[in-house]
């Protein structure tokens, strides 16, 4: 089955700096890669996703890049703000389906004022 | 709010108790999921229901028993749990179209503690 590894497990950045979280996956058939943000006391919420027919996707301060050859994808947050502090999860799925997501173990991001 | 509600938000139970977790989605979705979230571990998919039919059961012990009476409601019945079952249990829903499925919307979870 699919295996997703996520690094780092914790990340602290100064407000205004950029944050990068990286994930690798094992199943070359995976072609859907969402990123979720989980704030304290809430369930995960989708913030951005990418499918394997594109290499990069951007939404305001958030971007995701995908390298299918190396089987890794990354989340980039620019101009970080305190409200970006949360746990971020990457996931991967085969067949373009969100039904069978395999999640990474999460990254606790802390943005220091 | 994501349109997915879960009750109760917190539950403490003994190993001999029987309790149920409830999930309701107000999004008109046709697929619902149960996940287990333990500290420092990835989310673990437990069960998937599509059009009220269970399509996935990821080797979950029989002390967890799901029920999906309709496409808007999902239950997780618990009995004779173990302390290692203490975790955050998350419900999610999505709209499936053929072999494709899109964004999963998560509820806030039920924090379960087994004494």
């Amino acid at each position: 089955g699919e295996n997703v590894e996520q690094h780092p497990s914790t990340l602290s950045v100064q407000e205004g700096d950029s944050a990068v979280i990286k994930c690798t996956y094992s199943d070359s058939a995976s072609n859907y890669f969402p990123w979720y943000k989980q704030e304290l006391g809430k369930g995960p919420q989708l913030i951005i996703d990418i499918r394997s027919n594109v290499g990069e996707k951007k939404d305001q301060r958030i971007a995701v890049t995908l390298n299918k050859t190396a089987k890794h994808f990354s989340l980039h947050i620019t101009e970080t703000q305190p409200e970006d502090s949360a746990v971020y999860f990457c996931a991967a799925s085969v067949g373009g389906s969100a039904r069978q997501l395999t999640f990474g173990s999460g990254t606790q991001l802390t943005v220091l004022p | 709010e994501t349109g997915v509600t879960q009750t109760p938000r917190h539950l403490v139970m003994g190993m001999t108790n029987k309790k149920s977790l409830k999930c309701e989605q107000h999004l008109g979705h046709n697929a619902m999921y149960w996940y287990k979230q333990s500290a420092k571990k990835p989310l673990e998919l437990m069960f998937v229901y599509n059009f009220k039919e269970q399509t996935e059961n990821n080797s979950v012990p029989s002390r967890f028993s799901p029920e999906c009476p309709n496409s808007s409601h999902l239950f997780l019945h618990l009995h004779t749990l173990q302390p290692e079952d203490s975790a955050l249990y998350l419900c999610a829903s999505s709209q499936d179209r053929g072999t494709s499925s899109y964004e999963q919307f998560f509820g806030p979870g039920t924090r379960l503690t087994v004494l």
Side-chain angles (χ1 to χ4, degrees):
Chain A
E2 176 65 279
N3 181 49
V4 176
E5 297 203 358
Q6 182 172 347
H7 299 280
S9 57
T10 61
L11 178 61
S12 292
V13 299
Q14 290 295 136
E15 183 177 357
D17 287 351
S18 295
V20 180
I21 302 170
K22 299 181 180 181
C23 288
T24 60
Y25 60 98
S26 60
D27 190 339
S28 57
S30 289
N31 56 6
Y32 174 63
F33 308 93
W35 285 89
Y36 283 83
K37 174 184 181 183
Q38 186 174 22
E39 298 175 320
L40 200 61
K42 297 183 179 180
Q45 181 176 2
L46 181 73
I47 55 173
I48 195 166
D49 58 11
I50 191 168
R51 297 181 188 269
S52 59
N53 56 346
V54 297
E56 184 174 356
K57 184 176 178 181
K58 189 173 182 180
D59 183 3
Q60 299 183 345
R61 297 187 296 108
I62 294 173
V64 58
T65 58
L66 171 65
N67 183 328
K68 285 210 71 181
T69 303
K71 290 191 284 188
H72 68 71
F73 55 111
S74 300
L75 177 71
H76 304 254
I77 306 174
T78 58
E79 301 172 26
T80 53
Q81 301 167 3
E83 53 265 38
D84 295 328
S85 295
V87 180
Y88 291 81
F89 293 94
C90 63
S93 178
V94 177
S97 171
R99 191 180 304 155
Q100 270 280 17
L101 291 174
T102 300
F103 283 84
S105 54
T107 296
Q108 172 69 62
L109 173 65
T110 303
V111 179
L112 305 169
Chain B
E1 298 299 325
T2 62
V4 180
T5 58
Q6 290 186 245
T7 55
R9 292 295 309 275
H10 301 272
L11 179 61
V12 179
M13 59 186 289
M15 290 191 286
T16 58
N17 291 160
K18 291 184 179 181
K19 296 287 184 182
S20 295
L21 310 185
K22 179 183 177 182
C23 175
E24 183 174 0
Q25 59 98 357
H26 310 274
L27 302 168
H29 289 164
N30 57 14
M32 297 187 76
Y33 313 73
W34 279 117
Y35 286 89
K36 178 183 179 182
Q37 185 175 30
S38 304
K40 308 293 185 184
K41 292 177 69 175
L43 274 74
E44 301 172 55
L45 180 64
M46 301 175 71
F47 301 104
V48 181
Y49 276 83
N50 187 266
F51 290 105
K52 302 187 299 177
E53 299 295 325
Q54 186 180 127
T55 58
E56 305 285 346
N57 177 341
N58 283 4
S59 304
V60 180
S62 60
R63 57 186 184 269
F64 294 91
S65 175
E67 178 189 0
C68 188
N70 55 62
S71 56
S72 299
H73 294 85
L74 185 64
F75 295 89
L76 188 63
H77 304 299
L78 317 171
H79 61 99
T80 59
L81 295 192
Q82 305 297 312
E84 59 264 30
D85 295 324
S86 299
L88 182 70
Y89 287 85
L90 291 162
C91 173
S93 72
S94 70
Q95 183 61 28
D96 274 11
R97 298 184 180 91
T99 57
S100 293
S101 178
Y102 297 89
E103 176 183 355
Q104 289 188 24
F105 291 79
F106 284 84
T110 295
R111 173 68 62 186
L112 174 67
T113 303
V114 182
L115 302 177

